[in-house]
Amino acid sequence: MIRALSVVSEVFPLIKTGGLADVAGALPGALKPFDVEMRTLVPGYPAVLAALSGAEPVLERHLFGASARVLAGTGGGLAVFVIDAPHLFARAGNPYVGPDGAEWHDNPLRFAALARIGADIGLGHVPGFVPDVVHAHDWQAGLTPAYLQFEAPGRRPATVMTIHNLAFPGRVPAALLGVLGLPPWSYTMDGVEYYGGIGMLKAGVRFADRITTVSPTYAAEIQTQSGGMGMGGLLAGRSDVLSGIANGIDTTVWDPANDPLIAAPFDARRLARRAGNKAALATRLGLACGPERLLFGVVSRLSEQKGIDLVLGALPALLEADACLAVLGAGDAGLQGGLVSAATTGPGRVGVVIGYDEALAHLIQAGCDALLVPSRFEPCGLTQLCALRYGAIPVVSRVGGLADTVIDANLAAVAAGVATGVQFAAVTVDGLAGAVARTARLWRDGKTWRRMQSNGMATDVGWSGPAERYAKLYREVIVSL
Ligand code: ADP
């Protein structure tokens, strides 16, 4: 039995802003069959503390100006350690930004606290759970492997750093070096220094025993100049310990045959029932989109990464193809505005809901014919996996995890009967418009379309495969210490 501590800033179902929470929430359960007992360390945001039951204090510590407790308990079906530090985490809403939309000014300290406690538990300060491996996720947990290496190089647990998105490096002022408890000698290019500041993600990448990212293609992309976002050289230099493990989705939460959040449950043998979801979605968004019109969906953070500006740019081509569009998303104010005005200028054909809505996300996956994911880069992407499972054809840019998880309906793949979606390569308005037109042609060929749907629904998008790979990695890295 391996004991693993997952150190993460969000975890489903306790607190979620994106795919990171989904991954962190799914891993512990998925790892169990592979003989890994994983516990998860998360900050004590109000939502997390409210969901915690059976909490017992297991550690006390002074953390950046006030005392804090670590509570052990369960929440949302997970065994968790929660950092009860009101001066850092007793703030409602989004874990990273305040009500004015700006990052909390003390985020460096808030997440250094997360990493600090991760390292403490790693070093055995909670006797009831001494991990063999500490698994840190993204910049918020990036200092964990560094603290462990600096403080106890010969008697620390193995460390794994997972990059869910390299675009967030967690660069903080160099002046914080001492405050964060990092030794002066660590402030070098070969240490934690990152473009004149401290790179919290870089620290993890530099000092973890193993680095993973969330798809094989993204693992290759981030080792290049263009995809490396300033860390390509370091990552290429550590390629011997860097690998890509694609994410899965929770197939009990995302189960079209048993989904309380959709209008008409269905499975691969009863695909016709999807029509009930399409109708319910059209009603919900005020769309004039009956069975005769192709309905595209989008469920996304609204950001440049996700190519939402390309969706706006390709809208004329989409309408030209006599299709409709249903969008659910939140994020960038300019993109929100653009979408809302597209919905008012194209009433009945474009429906937009701004916000975060788990139930509507399910209905869009169940009701749209095709899901657009035109990301400029995409470490793994989860929505295309949900689409596969729900018989919605993913239309994706050929980058990162999108390239790894969707089989393009090219001539050979269609002839071999293995296609599951549509990929396009130039991530531009024209590239997306071309993909939309190609999707419309495929949709009119009902037989091919149904085959793609059933191929997608038969694709293994669950967590078992990825969890087995993580378990194998943990075993290897523990042995290698
Ligand atoms: P990200 O880069 O945002 O993490 P992923 O595709 O990896 O992208 O994961 C996004 C997750 O968040 C998916 O589970 C998706 O269904 C969900 N999601 C994104 N935006 C919304 C929204 N506005 N409402 C509900 N769920 C959303």
Side-chain angles (χ1 to χ4, degrees):
M1 163 75 79
I2 287 179
R3 287 186 158 182
L5 177 72
S6 172
V7 183
V8 70
S9 59
E10 54 182 280
V11 59
F12 183 84
L14 302 178
I15 177 95
K16 166 171 165 175
T17 72
L20 171 62
D22 290 320
V23 176
L27 258 184
L31 282 165
K32 259 190 211 130
F34 302 102
D35 226 20
V36 178
E37 181 195 355
M38 175 172 270
R39 294 207 197 168
T40 307
L41 172 67
V42 271
Y45 316 114
V48 172
L49 287 170
L52 192 63
S53 62
E56 271 185 45
V58 290
L59 191 64
E60 279 201 32
R61 207 182 202 287
H62 199 77
L63 276 179
F64 306 121
S67 67
R69 298 185 307 167
V70 179
L71 307 173
T74 55
L78 300 166
V80 287
F81 292 115
V82 174
I83 307 172
D84 182 18
H87 64 299
L88 299 173
F89 301 122
R91 303 169 199 180
N94 184 293
Y96 315 118
V97 300
D100 59 353
E103 304 237 322
W104 295 112
H105 72 281
D106 56 350
N107 274 354
L109 303 185
R110 298 171 75 225
F111 295 109
L114 173 68
R116 179 66 265 166
I117 298 294
D120 287 349
I121 299 175
L123 291 173
H125 294 313
V126 176
F129 186 82
V130 181
D132 306 294
V133 58
V134 173
H135 188 164
H137 300 272
D138 272 354
W139 74 266
Q140 294 92 340
L143 289 182
T144 317
Y147 285 142
L148 286 166
Q149 176 61 20
F150 295 161
E151 287 161 29
R155 52 172 189 92
R156 62 168 177 80
T159 52
V160 175
M161 180 78 228
T162 293
I163 302 169
H164 296 263
N165 194 338
L166 193 61
F168 302 104
R171 182 175 168 277
V172 310
L176 290 176
L177 196 72
V179 177
L180 300 182
L182 295 166
W185 50 261
S186 69
Y187 190 72
T188 64
M189 248 178 77
D190 191 38
V192 303
E193 189 273 341
Y194 180 69
Y195 294 91
I198 298 161
M200 296 195 30
L201 179 61
K202 182 198 166 178
V205 164
R206 170 65 187 81
F207 292 105
D209 299 312
R210 292 284 188 284
I211 306 159
T212 73
T213 188
V214 288
S215 69
T217 294
Y218 193 60
E221 288 168 354
I222 60 176
Q223 296 181 54
T224 64
Q225 182 74 22
S226 57
M229 299 191 169
M231 256 188 271
L234 171 61
L235 288 161
R238 302 212 68 202
S239 61
D240 54 333
V241 295
L242 167 61
S243 59
I245 298 178
N247 291 328
I249 55 171
D250 186 329
T251 50
T252 58
V253 172
W254 293 97
D255 178 4
N258 287 294
D259 187 340
L261 302 176
I262 65 177
F266 62 98
D267 58 31
R269 286 186 316 281
R270 283 163 297 187
L271 267 175
R273 292 192 183 178
R274 287 187 96 256
N277 297 308
K278 185 170 178 177
L281 179 57
T283 305
R284 169 88 190 265
L285 294 190
L287 292 170
C289 194
E292 75 294 349
R293 276 198 172 129
L294 170 59
L295 176 55
F296 286 97
V298 171
V299 178
S300 183
R301 277 191 292 123
L302 303 179
S303 73
E304 181 173 318
Q305 175 198 336
K306 299 290 182 181
I308 302 302
D309 53 316
L310 305 179
V311 174
L312 286 169
L315 199 52
L318 188 149
L319 297 174
E320 176 73 16
D322 198 33
C324 299
L325 177 66
V327 181
L328 168 64
D332 181 275
L335 293 170
Q336 285 186 183
L339 286 166
V340 169
S341 82
T344 43
T345 49
R349 300 282 297 283
V350 180
V352 174
V353 172
I354 300 296
Y356 192 91
D357 186 334
E358 201 76 43
L360 183 57
H362 282 240
L363 185 61
I364 291 179
Q365 294 284 9
C368 75
D369 298 299
L371 188 87
L372 298 177
V373 194
S375 304
R376 289 192 164 82
F377 67 93
E378 191 58 78
C380 180
L382 298 176
T383 56
Q384 84 281 10
L385 302 180
C386 303
L388 289 170
R389 179 127 170 101
Y390 275 59
I393 299 302
V395 179
V396 305
S397 49
R398 189 176 297 144
V399 299
L402 301 173
D404 291 332
T405 56
V406 172
I407 302 175
D408 178 56
N410 61 39
L411 215 55
V414 170
V418 297
T420 61
V422 172
Q423 290 187 344
F424 61 98
V427 191
T428 59
V429 167
D430 284 349
L432 176 56
V436 163
R438 189 152 72 91
T439 305
R441 286 196 297 278
L442 286 162
W443 185 66
R444 282 192 292 273
D445 173 0
K447 197 165 158 239
T448 300
W449 189 266
R450 279 188 297 279
R451 181 65 193 263
M452 289 170 68
Q453 286 180 297
S454 53
N455 289 344
M457 295 181 81
T459 301
D460 181 6
V461 293
W463 265 105
S464 186
E468 187 172 11
R469 281 169 218 126
Y470 278 113
K472 182 164 176 277
L473 181 89
Y474 296 159
R475 292 207 156 77
E476 285 169 4
V477 67
I478 290 166
V479 168
S480 75
L481 269 200

